Amino acid sequence: SVGRLHLQKNYFQLLRAFKEFSKHFPDWKYIIVGKGKLEKKIKNLINSLELQDRVILKGFTDPQPYYKKAAFVLFGSHYEGMPNVILESMANNVPVLTSNFQGIEKLIKNNKNGLVFTLNSDKDLIKKMIFMANRDNSRFISNAYKDVSKFNLKKITEDWVKLINNI
């Protein structure tokens, strides 16, 4: 996961789900890139879930090296504007498992270019984490990369030029 350590980002649910997920995938690590006011509470939850050796808090740093190593990106926000982390993941060929916050359907088409889980349903999240970990996600990656290309600066500039020329 990449993002501020804030209630909006829903790390408490993600960590609870990872605890259960890790029973099925004991060698997997959960890396969180970000910093924020909930850092101490998140560390306390990591300790109480006995995940100290499995969850790594990287703080505020460049997420690019972590995208390159990620099996998938876990995004659990309750709400977002334009989720840059999802766009970055798609552009870096990393499959996305995201919450069903309002508006996500404009970026992630469930089971086409990523997976969407039901907010506040640990059961649904765990099921979809296991699904992502057990399969070849190349179809998600390919579809996501095509979809994110519409956010390319050159494409957006061309669209604006066409719009202005038609006025």
Side-chain angles (χ1 to χ4, degrees):
S1 294
V2 178
R4 306 176 279 125
L5 305 183
H6 188 276
L7 282 174
Q8 168 194 353
K9 304 298 184 180
N10 198 22
Y11 286 111
F12 299 119
Q13 180 184 13
L14 302 181
L15 287 165
R16 285 192 315 270
F18 183 75
K19 172 70 174 181
E20 187 62 32
F21 171 85
S22 67
K23 293 175 185 175
H24 302 273
F25 295 89
D27 296 331
W28 282 51
K29 303 274 189 217
Y30 179 24
I31 297 173
I32 300 173
V33 176
K35 197 162 180 62
K37 63 184 179 179
L38 288 182
E39 186 169 353
K40 186 174 181 178
K41 288 183 179 183
I42 288 172
K43 283 181 179 177
N44 288 341
L45 180 58
I46 290 167
N47 291 334
S48 71
L49 293 172
E50 299 178 350
L51 292 171
Q52 307 88 307
D53 298 330
R54 311 285 310 282
V55 177
I56 303 161
L57 298 176
K58 288 296 188 177
F60 183 76
T61 189
D62 179 9
Q64 203 63 36
Y66 303 103
Y67 287 134
K68 291 184 188 316
K69 295 178 183 179
F72 60 89
V73 166
L74 189 53
F75 193 83
S77 285
H78 290 285
Y79 57 92
E80 285 292 333
M82 177 58 81
N84 289 328
V85 169
I86 290 178
L87 294 172
E88 290 169 0
S89 299
M90 294 167 76
N92 280 285
N93 296 311
V94 182
V96 174
L97 173 55
T98 180
S99 63
N100 64 340
F101 66 88
Q102 186 176 0
I104 189 56
E105 67 281 354
K106 292 181 171 120
L107 288 178
I108 299 295
K109 310 294 185 242
N110 194 34
N111 213 22
K112 178 184 176 267
N113 64 355
L115 277 184
V116 179
F117 72 90
T118 303
L119 266 170
N120 301 319
S121 173
D122 290 4
K123 184 178 179 180
D124 188 44
L125 173 55
I126 295 161
K127 180 177 109 181
K128 289 180 177 166
M129 288 172 73
I130 292 169
F131 180 82
M132 290 285 273
N134 272 326
R135 64 174 296 199
D136 171 13
N137 292 304
S138 57
R139 181 176 55 91
F140 287 168
I141 292 167
S142 174
N143 290 337
Y145 192 79
K146 288 177 201 166
D147 291 344
V148 79
S149 67
K150 64 185 170 193
F151 295 99
N152 176 293
L153 181 60
K154 183 177 178 188
K155 170 86 171 92
I156 292 170
T157 303
E158 289 170 359
D159 290 346
W160 273 106
V161 169
K162 285 178 190 174
L163 179 67
I164 291 168
N165 287 334
N166 288 328
I167 295 179

